[in-house]
Structures are given as structure tokens and as C-alpha cells.
């Protein structure tokens, strides 16, 4: 998608999290969060961006409209420092390559800000073909799957990784 850009998360972006907190948008994440959880997520994004532990972004079109969010943050994956990414795209912007284009931009950012972290990882639900396809199209390798508790229920995810050193 042309004219797409990533803008660093700001104090004014809470409404974007609220817009994405619908049953349809969270179907692959065991459902919506409470208002308090959304407010805490927003505050966490701001804290992590300020500390350098994460780079969270709003995905914008060429006219500055928010289409979704994407970011990367520090994790330990398979016993080594890594980055993890996750994203969402508003329903009206889905199916137009927004997530794939935003991930391509994010990969460039992750390479620039990876420090000692070799891998960028992503963990979409096994029943989320769109997000798994975004990983595949952006050169990630499927490394396995696992089940863990997320938002109070079991969630089985695929484990995707991209070598940022390549």
C-alpha cells in the first residue's frame, strides 16, 4: 500500500485502542479487554516507548488517518534476547495489504533499533489466517506453535521468527 507511514505512539492515541477493542477485532485474542485494561495498555505503550523498551506505532495513510497499530518490544525468545511484534488493522482497512506493508516498515525499524537482538518474533493465533499470512509474506519462518493462557483462556499460537541480521 502506497503512502503508508508509521507514527510513534502518543498520548492522543488511546481512542485507537478503544476502536480495536471489539469482539470482532479481538476474536483471535480471546475477546475484548476491560476499559481499565485498555487505559493501562495505553499507559504501558507510552512508558515502554519513553524507556526505549518498545517502539509502538500508529499506522497512518497518506492523509494521516489511523488505520491501525503495530510495534515491537523486548522479549526473551528461546532463551535469547529478541523482539516481538504485533499489530491490528481497523476493519475498514483490512484486505488491502495494510498489515503487510506496515510490517515491512516495522522490520526496517526493528533492524535499526534491534541492539543485540537477532530475531523479530510474532505469535498470531493458529486460527488467524490473515496474520499468519502477513508473517509468511514478510519472510518470517514458522518455528512451531504452542498453547498458553491469554486473557483468561487458552490460546494456541504459531511461532514465527525473522532473522534481523540477514
Amino acid at each position: 500500500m502506497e503512502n503508508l507511514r508509521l507514527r510513534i505512539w502518543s498520548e492522543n492515541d488511546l481512542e485507537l485502542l478503544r476502536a480495536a477493542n471489539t469482539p470482532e477485532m479481538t476474536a483471535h485474542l480471546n475477546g475484548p479487554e476491560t476499559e481499565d485494561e485498555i487505559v493501562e495498555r495505553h499507559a504501558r505503550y507510552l512508558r515502554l516507548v519513553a524507556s526505549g523498551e518498545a517502539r509502538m506505532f500508529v499506522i497512518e495513510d497518506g492523509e494521516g488517518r489511523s488505520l491501525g497499530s503495530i510495534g515491537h518490544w523486548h522479549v526473551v525468545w528461546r532463551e535469547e534476547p529478541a523482539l516481538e511484534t504485533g499489530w491490528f488493522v481497523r476493519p475498514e482497512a483490512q484486505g488491502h495489504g495494510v498489515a503487510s506493508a506496515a510490517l515491512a516498515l516495522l522490520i526496517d525499524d526493528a533492524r535499526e533499533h534491534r541492539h543485540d537482538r537477532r530475531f523479530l518474533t510474532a505469535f498470531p493465533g493458529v486460527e488467524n489466517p490473515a496474520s499468519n499470512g502477513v508473517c509468511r509474506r514478510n519472510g518470517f519462518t514458522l518455528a512451531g506453535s504452542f498453547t498458553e493462557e491469554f486473557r483468561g483462556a487458552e490460546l494456541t499460537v504459531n511461532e514465527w521468527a525473522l532473522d534481523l541480521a540477514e
Side-chain angles (χ1 to χ4, degrees), residues 60-115:
E60 291 184 335
D61 67 11
E63 286 149 34
R65 290 182 297 237
S66 69
L67 304 179
S69 177
I70 193 166
H72 60 77
W73 52 93
H74 296 178
V75 296
V76 174
W77 178 67
R78 297 191 175 190
E79 300 182 17
E80 74 174 273
L83 295 173
E84 180 178 339
T85 185
W87 58 86
F88 67 82
V89 173
R90 291 177 183 260
E92 62 271 20
Q94 292 175 8
H96 302 285
V98 171
S100 286
L103 184 54
L105 293 171
L106 184 94
I107 290 167
D108 290 341
D109 186 83
R111 283 193 167 112
E112 184 178 333
H113 296 93
R114 70 186 182 97
H115 307 291

Side-chain angles (χ1 to χ4, degrees), residues 28-30 73 75-77 84 122-126 145-159:
H28 296 291
L29 298 170
N30 290 338
W73 52 93
V75 296
V76 174
W77 178 67
E84 180 178 339
F123 303 96
V126 296
S145 64
F146 62 89
T147 302
E148 66 180 6
E149 186 169 312
F150 187 77
R151 294 188 185 166
E154 284 193 347
L155 180 65
T156 302
V157 297
N158 280 327
E159 193 175 10

Side-chain angles (χ1 to χ4, degrees), residues 77 80-83 107-108 110-111 114 116-122 135 138-142 160-166:
W77 178 67
E80 74 174 273
L83 295 173
I107 290 167
D108 290 341
R111 283 193 167 112
R114 70 186 182 97
D116 63 340
R117 296 163 192 279
R118 179 175 175 183
F119 291 99
L120 178 63
T121 60
C135 291
N138 277 279
F140 284 64
T141 299
L142 182 60
W160 292 91
L162 178 74
D163 189 338
L164 293 169
E166 292 182 353

